């Protein structure tokens, strides 16, 4: 029904729409205020770079969507503590697997998950809400979930099946030297090579493009 080119645009747009929904859910999970959730969706919708990529970028947008899905699941995991739900562990692990399968740099999600879990559990222990042994159990469960999510990446990434332990790390080691975008940028009326960009390039770019500013 649709050609390859059209299908990519449709799938990118659908993933972009899902990302907007997840943005709202993240805002609501943090604030428990649907008006803030709506505001988050509006700000994301009126971010030109984000919406533009949603209509044409079949790699970055799914990655961003899965990052949002992972953050959403991690927030729910933390909010549900000290209770541990199997359903939540499944979705956390699944989010890691899918995100890493798109780009190996998503391994950072596991680092975030463990860091915030340890921090929050530590606060619960210090506040006397849970005992130390219970806190240790939660951290071990979070670690096991991370390992499962990492290893199960091979279910969605054929090359990873050859070595589920090392191949994501090998991919990330290669990806850090990725230089396809070895080009010049127009900035402040001048063509600048990527190594010549001033330190304030990113802050100014964000100031110009983000609607909240």
């Amino acid at each position: 029904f649709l050609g390859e080119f059209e299908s990519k645009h449709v799938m990118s747009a659908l993933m972009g729409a899902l990302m907007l929904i997840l943005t709202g859910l993240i805002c609501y999970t943090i604030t428990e205020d649907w008006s803030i959730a709506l505001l988050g969706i509006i700000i994301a919708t009126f971010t030109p770079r984000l919406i533009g990529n949603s209509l044409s970028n079949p790699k970055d947008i799914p990655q961003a969507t899965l990052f949002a899905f992972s953050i959403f699941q991690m927030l729910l995991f933390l909010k549900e503590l000290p209770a541990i739900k199997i359903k939540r562990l499944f979705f956390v692990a699944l989010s890691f697997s899918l995100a890493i399968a798109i780009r190996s740099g998503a391994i950072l999600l596991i680092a975030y998950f463990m860091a915030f879990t340890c921090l929050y559990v530590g606060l619960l222990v210090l506040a006397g809400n849970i005992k130390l042994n219970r806190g240790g159990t939660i951290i071990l469960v979070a670690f096991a979930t991370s390992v499962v999510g990492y290893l199960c990446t091979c279910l969605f990434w054929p090359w990873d099946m050859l070595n589920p332990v090392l191949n994501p790390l090998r991919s990330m080691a290669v990806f850090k030297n990725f230089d396809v975008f070895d080009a010049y940028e127009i900035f402040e009326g001048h063509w600048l090579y990527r190594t010549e960009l001033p330190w304030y390039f990113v802050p100014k770019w964000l100031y110009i493009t983000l609607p909240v500013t």
Side-chain angles (χ1 to χ4, degrees):
F1 181 68
L2 292 176
E4 180 181 352
F5 181 79
E6 292 81 3
S7 298
K8 286 183 178 180
H9 280 284
V10 171
M11 293 305 298
S12 293
L14 290 175
M15 292 300 289
L18 179 58
M19 178 174 55
L20 295 179
I21 294 172
L22 288 167
T23 298
L25 291 174
I26 290 171
C27 293
Y28 176 77
T29 303
I30 295 172
T31 65
E32 295 187 351
D33 188 335
W34 284 113
S35 63
I36 299 298
L38 180 60
L39 179 62
I41 293 175
I42 291 173
I43 290 175
T45 301
F46 285 94
T47 301
R49 186 65 176 262
L50 187 63
I51 297 302
N53 275 272
S54 295
L55 301 176
S56 60
N57 194 327
K59 187 76 170 181
D60 292 337
I61 291 303
Q63 178 74 27
T65 301
L66 289 172
F67 257 77
F69 177 62
S70 186
I71 292 170
F72 176 52
Q73 295 302 323
M74 286 190 277
L75 286 171
L76 291 177
F77 172 81
L78 294 175
K79 288 194 72 172
E80 291 165 356
L81 292 180
I84 298 177
K85 297 183 179 180
I86 300 298
K87 178 182 72 172
R88 191 65 54 221
L89 299 179
F90 169 79
F91 282 118
V92 169
L94 178 64
S95 70
F96 292 162
S97 298
L98 291 172
I100 296 172
I102 292 181
R103 282 217 173 101
S104 55
I107 292 173
L108 283 174
L109 288 169
I110 294 177
Y112 296 151
F113 180 54
M114 291 306 305
F116 283 108
T117 298
C118 290
L119 176 61
Y120 188 59
V121 167
L123 293 175
L124 290 176
V125 171
L126 290 175
N129 294 326
I130 60 174
K131 294 182 179 181
L132 184 60
N133 59 347
R134 177 60 176 170
T137 299
I138 293 172
I139 291 174
L140 286 175
V141 169
F143 179 75
T145 302
S146 300
V147 171
V148 170
Y150 178 85
L151 295 178
C152 287
T153 300
C154 67
L155 299 176
F156 310 100
W157 184 6
W159 181 68
D160 189 38
M161 293 181 183
L162 300 175
N163 193 329
V165 176
L166 295 180
N167 275 358
L169 298 176
R170 290 168 177 161
S171 172
M172 190 164 59
V174 173
F175 187 72
K176 69 182 179 65
N177 298 317
F178 189 68
D179 61 357
V180 169
F181 299 107
D182 191 17
Y184 286 82
E185 296 280 351
I186 297 179
F187 185 65
E188 296 181 337
H190 302 283
W191 282 99
L192 299 177
Y193 189 59
R194 60 187 176 92
T195 58
E196 299 173 331
L197 296 175
W199 67 268
Y200 56 88
F201 173 77
V202 172
K204 185 170 183 178
W205 181 82
L206 291 174
Y207 174 76
I208 293 171
T209 57
L210 291 178
V212 72
T213 58

